[in-house]
Amino acid sequence: MATVNFSVPPDVRDEFNRCFAGENKSAILTKLMREAVEKYKCQQRRSQAIDRLLVFRQTQPPVNQQQIYESRKAMRQ
């Protein structure tokens, strides 16, 4: 297992130590880091999906309100 050194403001360190006193802080930090990595990856996937949707929309012809109304009405039937 690797050792990682980070600089953390003293107030954050102190609060962390108070909140997680008596617990395995390495395990907690590992869990938090994994969650941060997953959150980052999720944000990247969302960003890529949005980019693909925007590219797709540029290739689609515009639709007016009447067409939208008629399509919604047809789907309800």
Side-chain angles (χ1 to χ4, degrees), residues 35-45:
E35 289 173 359
V37 167
E38 185 54 38
K39 181 178 178 181
Y40 175 82
K41 288 179 179 180
C42 184
Q43 289 171 337
Q44 294 300 307
R45 288 190 301 267

Side-chain angles (χ1 to χ4, degrees), residues 24-73:
N24 182 339
K25 293 180 182 79
S26 292
I28 293 166
L29 288 172
T30 299
K31 179 183 175 204
L32 292 171
M33 290 175 75
R34 284 185 174 138
E35 289 173 359
V37 167
E38 185 54 38
K39 181 178 178 181
Y40 175 82
K41 288 179 179 180
C42 184
Q43 289 171 337
Q44 294 300 307
R45 288 190 301 267
R46 283 184 185 141
S47 178
Q48 291 170 357
I50 289 168
D51 290 344
R52 288 191 304 269
L53 285 170
L54 291 174
V55 168
F56 175 75
R57 283 193 65 194
Q58 291 175 353
T59 65
Q60 301 303 304
V63 179
N64 65 39
Q65 289 294 322
Q66 184 62 33
Q67 291 169 311
I68 293 171
Y69 172 77
E70 289 170 6
S71 293
R72 292 179 75 189
K73 186 177 175 183

Side-chain angles (χ1 to χ4, degrees), residues 6-19:
F6 291 102
S7 296
V8 180
D11 61 320
V12 173
R13 178 202 60 216
D14 295 342
E15 188 67 17
F16 181 84
N17 286 332
R18 272 193 295 279
C19 289

